[in-house]
Amino acid sequence: MATVIATINLKGGVGKSTTTAALAEFMSAEFGYRVLVVDLDPQTNLTTMMIGEQRWREVNDRGLTLNNLFASALDTDLPEFDVEKALQRNASALESVRSVDLLASSLDLMETQEEMNAWQYEVPGSLEPLLVLRAALAGIKSSYDFVLIDCAPNLGIVTANGLLMSDAYLVPTIPDVLSTYGIPQLQKRVQKFVDHTGHELTPLGLIITKYRSSSTLHRTTIERLQRAVFEFDSAAEKDRAGRQRPPNVIPHWIPESNQIAQSAEFVDYGTLRQKYGTHGQFEALRNMTEHVVQNAGVYL
Ligand SMILES: Nc1ncnc2c1ncn2[C@@H]1O[C@H](COP(=O)(O)OP(=O)(O)O)[C@@H](O)[C@H]1O
Ligand SMILES: [Mg+2]
């Protein structure tokens, strides 16, 4: 059965989509896993990274994006969403990545997302609006080892659909003050979600993105994040009561690099090394992926 991992952060621009795409490509090309990538963000960055803008337009025009899933859940007069048809098989442009499929997002999801949020208030207390994605994927999930869900930077109903079918979550963050400021808030909101739904989620940790080794701020921020975990773990039980354990810091930082920034462009680079770069980027991404795979295996 697939392990489902959501990437979330309430902040945009922290490398969520870039990291999710890289994780999927490394899981496939380096470790041989079958991966489904689910793009829940109406910004559709992950989708265009994987299949390019032209193919996205075709998919969108044919009604084969996740927008059509949520729209048909809201309006039963619309044609039913056919997940098998919507699957973009072998979605990566890289030749060496052979087992990554995609469920595409759409800019139209921006509006549908608002309607999903409104639906929740029409049926107070019901989990039905949160179960749309899970129900749609029930029949195909077992074809994958991992399902990676890239979420929009909010915790609305569409994101909640992603969380409700996830076993675990990852939080990509840039190691600076502004980017890490909201992490305790995010953890609290996830805990509230868990309390509300009764659905447990394992925190797999923070992925440090856009790391600059020359930046003192980046280094001191990572030290602060690591120290918070250590201090929590070594605190007396009475001092921990009512506090959440800060998230682990995955010990393989993703460097800031032009090549990773350019990986957002839809081009066939051939290999992962050519695409992501050989000045430490390939190794960092490979090690990060291996760590995530191992921890998913340990905790789930
Ligand atoms: N390691 C990195 N080095 C350089 N640029 C990066 C890196 N990771 C992401 N970026 C760039 O930062 C921007 C935001 O990344 P993105 O993955 O879209 O963030 P999010 O999904 O959190 O909004 C994009 O332009 C992306 O290409
Ligand atoms: Mg994104």
Side-chain angles (χ1 to χ4, degrees), residues 9 11-20 41 43 45-46 49 150-151 153 172 174 208-211 254-265 281 285:
N9 195 318
K11 237 179 119 55
V14 294
K16 277 189 304 299
S17 301
T18 307
T19 307
T20 308
D41 189 344
Q43 299 209 359
N45 290 344
L46 180 60
M49 275 179 206
D150 189 29
C151 298
I174 302 169
I208 302 296
T209 62
K210 300 197 193 183
Y211 171 67
I254 311 308
E256 179 168 71
S257 89
N258 288 335
Q259 226 158 331
I260 295 181
Q262 279 162 16
S263 75
E265 279 172 56
Q281 302 98 320
L285 287 166

Side-chain angles (χ1 to χ4, degrees), residues 17-56:
S17 301
T18 307
T19 307
T20 308
L23 254 178
E25 294 192 322
F26 277 77
M27 280 176 167
S28 168
E30 288 293 308
F31 302 97
Y33 290 117
R34 299 163 301 168
V35 186
L36 172 65
V37 181
V38 178
D39 187 0
L40 281 189
D41 189 344
Q43 299 209 359
T44 60
N45 290 344
L46 180 60
T47 297
T48 47
M49 275 179 206
M50 308 273 326
I51 61 173
E53 200 167 325
Q54 197 185 338
R55 182 160 154 202
W56 169 72

Side-chain angles (χ1 to χ4, degrees), residues 70 73-74 111-132 154-161 163-164 189 192-197:
F70 292 109
L74 286 160
E111 224 176 291
T112 307
Q113 184 173 252
E114 296 307 317
E115 291 170 30
M116 288 295 293
N117 290 341
W119 181 17
Q120 192 200 20
Y121 294 105
E122 288 164 23
V123 284
S126 165
L127 291 185
E128 195 191 344
L130 275 57
L131 287 163
V132 175
N154 64 56
L155 284 181
I157 296 304
V158 169
T159 302
N161 266 268
L163 294 183
L164 199 60
R189 298 276 300 274
K192 246 177 95 174
F193 169 87
V194 170
D195 294 341
H196 173 62
T197 59

Side-chain angles (χ1 to χ4, degrees), residues 59-233:
V59 170
N60 196 49
D61 289 347
R62 291 171 56 209
L64 298 177
T65 74
L66 289 170
N67 176 58
N68 302 97
L69 167 67
F70 292 109
S72 68
L74 286 160
D75 180 352
T76 45
D77 290 339
L78 290 173
E80 209 178 316
F81 180 76
D82 183 341
V83 70
E84 291 276 353
K85 247 172 97 182
L87 268 184
Q88 301 302 305
R89 294 176 202 275
N90 196 7
S92 171
L94 287 190
E95 206 195 311
S96 60
V97 178
R98 295 166 198 277
S99 53
V100 177
D101 295 349
L102 168 76
L103 284 171
S105 186
S106 169
L107 298 171
D108 302 326
L109 183 56
M110 196 72 84
E111 224 176 291
T112 307
Q113 184 173 252
E114 296 307 317
E115 291 170 30
M116 288 295 293
N117 290 341
W119 181 17
Q120 192 200 20
Y121 294 105
E122 288 164 23
V123 284
S126 165
L127 291 185
E128 195 191 344
L130 275 57
L131 287 163
V132 175
L133 183 68
R134 181 147 113 181
L137 299 196
I140 61 165
K141 211 179 117 177
S142 59
S143 312
Y144 300 96
D145 301 303
F146 286 96
V147 178
L148 303 181
I149 305 182
D150 189 29
C151 298
N154 64 56
L155 284 181
I157 296 304
V158 169
T159 302
N161 266 268
L163 294 183
L164 199 60
M165 68 166 296
S166 294
D167 303 302
Y169 68 99
L170 285 164
V171 181
T173 184
I174 302 169
D176 62 27
V177 177
L178 284 179
S179 303
T180 54
Y181 186 66
I183 291 172
Q185 189 66 17
L186 173 66
Q187 271 198 302
K188 256 188 228 138
R189 298 276 300 274
V190 170
Q191 190 54 47
K192 246 177 95 174
F193 169 87
V194 170
D195 294 341
H196 173 62
T197 59
H199 177 78
E200 287 294 336
L201 282 165
T202 303
L204 286 180
L206 302 176
I207 298 179
I208 302 296
T209 62
K210 300 197 193 183
Y211 171 67
R212 274 183 275 127
S213 55
S214 61
S215 164
T216 310
L217 174 65
H218 280 198
R219 275 182 284 124
T220 53
T221 301
I222 293 171
E223 278 163 23
R224 172 171 58 77
L225 294 167
Q226 291 172 320
R227 199 165 49 239
V229 180
F230 177 78
E231 282 174 1
F232 182 91
D233 287 348

